[in-house]
Each structure stands twice: as C-alpha cells, then as structure tokens.
Amino acid sequence: MKKFTINWRKVLLIAVVFLASTAVQVLALNAFLIPNKVFSSGFNGIAQLLSIFFVQLFHINMQTGTFIMIFNIPIGIIGWKLIGGKFTILSFLNSIVVSVVQIVAPTQALTTDPLLASLFGGLLLGVSIGLAMRYGFSTGGMDIIALVVQKRTGKSIGVLMNGINFVVVIVAGAFIGWQNALFTLIGIYATGRAVDALYTGYQKLTALIVTSNGDEVVEALHRDLIRGITILPSRGAYTKRDSMTLMMVLSRYELVEMQEIVHRTDPKAFINLLSTVSVSGEFFDADRQLQMRRAVTVPKLETVTAQIEAEQQLESQLDKLEADDNK
C-alpha cells in the first residue's frame, strides 16, 4: 500500500497565500472600489452593480459580498461535479471567504479620488488574483467557468469574459455615470497588468543544461516534470571531456523546480536560460501534465536510445488520452 505523506510546508504556504489573497481582495473592494463606485471585472463587477441597484430600486441594503456568494455557490457546485480537484475546491472556498469577510468588514474609503481608487483597487485585485493563480487556485467566478469550458470543449471563454466586462462598463456608464465607467476601464487594465506581473505560468523559457550526468538528470526531470527533452552530445572545449546538453522548453512557473532537480542530481551542471518568443507544436499545459503523470511510467533512462523510446512512449500515451477525450 502506497504511503500517503503530507507536505506540511507546502500546506502552510498555500494557507498563508489563501489568507493574503482574501485580505487583499477585500481591501480592494471595501477601501477603494465599492465606496467610489468603481467596478471590478467579471462577476464581482456585476455583484457591485446589483448591490447599488437593490439600494436604489428596492431600498434593500444587500452587500456586494452577498451577490458574490450567490454567484459562486452554483458555480462551485458545477465545477466540483464536472472537474473536481484542488483548484476548484480552493477557488470556491476563496470566493466564499471573500464574500463573508466583505460583508463583515467595514466599507471605508481610503481615498475619495476615483482615479486613485481605480488604480489602487485594480492593482490590489490583480495582486490577489495573481497570488492565487501562482499557487494553484483562483478567486472563483469566471475562473472556474473558464476551467470547466476548457476541460470540456478545449476552447477559451476569453470572448465571454470580455463581453461581461463590456456589459459592466456600459451599465455603469448608463446608470451610474460615464466617469465611473471610464475609471472602471482603468481599474480593469491595472488588474490585468498586476496579474501578468505575478502569474507567469504562460511565459515560456528554453533551458540548455550542460551536464556530465545526462542520463540521471533526464530521469530525474522526467520523474517530476512532464516535458520533452532533446539530447545534444557535447564536449568541453577546455576540459576536452564529453558531456550532454539537454534542451527543454518549460514555463516560468516550472523554472525553480527544474533548477532544483538538476542541481540536486548534478551540482556542477551548467544551466543557460533563453527567452522563448513562441512555441509551435505540442506543449503540455498543467492539466495535460497531470494526466500524463498519472498515465505514464517513465522507464529508467540508461542510454540515448532509452531516451528516444521514452519520448515515443509519452507521445503514444498522449494520443491515447486524446482519443479517450474525444469519445
């Protein structure tokens, strides 16, 4: 029976990031966006609009967090039933905790300048989202829907997300004021820039690893990272010793893990990192890597021929997984 172990250090780190992401998001809403009627993107923006409309039309004071919870409960249930996984659970919990804290915490503006409110509110929201995504979850809402659609259809819902943001801006302009709508656009842009700065999982790097223990390094990398590796025979100009140069393309999110694996296996390995503009062909995302890790047992790589056979095995397993997905 396989022994189940818990990495308490990782659990503690995720817990700290979870609480930090929650606190930053509530701060952005209660101290900058809500009191200045500047709206965030996605369902949070719709929740802010509904909160204002309920006060103006029905004279019912319903906090933004209430509508965030109303939106995320069915989304979380659907996400759990269709895809499950740690991402959905943590994202759902994050949205619920944010809802409760937003309702309980006081709404007090730190600034009455709408430009400052949109910039700082947008940046703080981006920090919250970026931190969450960097550590394997999200702030709920559209992120869960995007994951469900991507897993079920393989398509992106970027158009839908942009459409929701467009509706938020138009409704805010028509009923609240066009100045608020313009400041909302600034906030949405600031959010996007902050997310890009923190969450770099989509950015690609090419690593050139020069090592004298090529077979051991390849085996260690394939054990923990599902990435294709090209072996280039090489020779040191000064030492005249034969070596291997391993070339692999990976995301920035995997960079630290790759370096730790290589230096743990060969402390003297030389790693050269190159910025990759674009990638054409198969590049496994996190979901596909998880499927491959569950399906593939990589053999011990003792020769270059074994490396080639392992690459072919990975490709055949991928073809099988894709065939099963299409059934």
Side-chain angles (χ1 to χ4, degrees), residues 20 32 38-39 52 62 66 96 123 134 141 144 152 155 164 176 179 189 196 204 206 211 213 219 242 244 265 274 302:
F32 293 100
V38 176
F39 304 93
I52 293 175
M62 292 186 67
T66 304
I96 296 301
L123 287 173
R134 192 179 183 109
I144 297 178
R152 289 289 169 171
K155 298 179 180 179
I164 290 178
I176 309 299
Q179 177 175 280
Y189 176 78
D196 289 343
K204 308 297 186 299
T206 297
T211 174
N213 301 325
E219 182 182 0
D242 291 333
M244 285 185 185
T265 308
L274 308 174
E302 298 178 349

Side-chain angles (χ1 to χ4, degrees), residues 173-199:
F175 293 95
I176 309 299
W178 290 108
Q179 177 175 280
N180 298 73
L182 295 175
F183 285 128
T184 295
L185 285 174
I186 294 174
I188 292 174
Y189 176 78
T191 298
R193 296 297 295 176
V195 172
D196 289 343
L198 284 172
Y199 181 66

Side-chain angles (χ1 to χ4, degrees), residues 158 161 166 170 220 264 268 292:
M161 296 175 72
F166 176 77
I170 294 299
R264 185 172 63 242
K268 296 182 179 180
M292 295 293 288

Side-chain angles (χ1 to χ4, degrees), residues 136-312:
F137 60 101
S138 74
T139 55
M142 290 300 299
D143 295 322
I144 297 178
I145 293 177
L147 186 63
V148 170
V149 173
Q150 191 274 329
K151 281 182 174 289
R152 289 289 169 171
T153 68
K155 298 179 180 179
S156 170
I157 63 166
V159 174
L160 175 60
M161 296 175 72
N162 290 334
I164 290 178
N165 292 337
F166 176 77
V167 170
V168 169
V169 172
I170 294 299
V171 172
F175 293 95
I176 309 299
W178 290 108
Q179 177 175 280
N180 298 73
L182 295 175
F183 285 128
T184 295
L185 285 174
I186 294 174
I188 292 174
Y189 176 78
T191 298
R193 296 297 295 176
V195 172
D196 289 343
L198 284 172
Y199 181 66
T200 56
Y202 64 91
Q203 297 178 8
K204 308 297 186 299
L205 290 171
T206 297
L208 297 176
I209 306 166
V210 182
T211 174
S212 57
N213 301 325
D215 295 331
E216 292 82 358
V217 172
V218 168
E219 182 182 0
L221 288 171
H222 267 166
R223 187 165 52 245
D224 296 318
L225 292 177
I226 305 297
R227 288 290 174 214
I229 302 173
T230 300
I231 295 179
L232 305 172
S234 54
R235 190 183 186 199
Y238 179 75
T239 63
K240 308 301 181 184
R241 294 177 181 173
D242 291 333
S243 61
M244 285 185 185
T245 299
L246 311 177
M247 184 180 72
M248 63 186 302
V249 180
L250 66 162
S251 69
R252 284 187 179 272
Y253 191 56
E254 299 166 314
L255 175 58
V256 174
E257 184 177 5
M258 181 274 291
Q259 290 175 320
E260 289 178 351
I261 293 170
V262 172
H263 287 139
R264 185 172 63 242
T265 308
D266 182 7
K268 296 182 179 180
F270 177 81
I271 302 176
N272 183 26
L273 300 173
L274 308 174
S275 180
T276 301
V277 177
S278 64
V279 175
S280 177
E282 295 286 358
F283 186 84
F284 304 147
D285 59 15
D287 296 325
R288 181 61 70 186
Q289 282 184 314
L290 181 59
Q291 289 179 314
M292 295 293 288
R293 189 173 285 110
R294 290 172 176 172
V296 178
T297 302
V298 180
K300 184 176 181 180
L301 307 179
E302 298 178 349
T303 64
V304 175
T305 302
Q307 159 68 15
I308 296 173
E309 292 176 353
E311 297 286 350
Q312 292 173 345

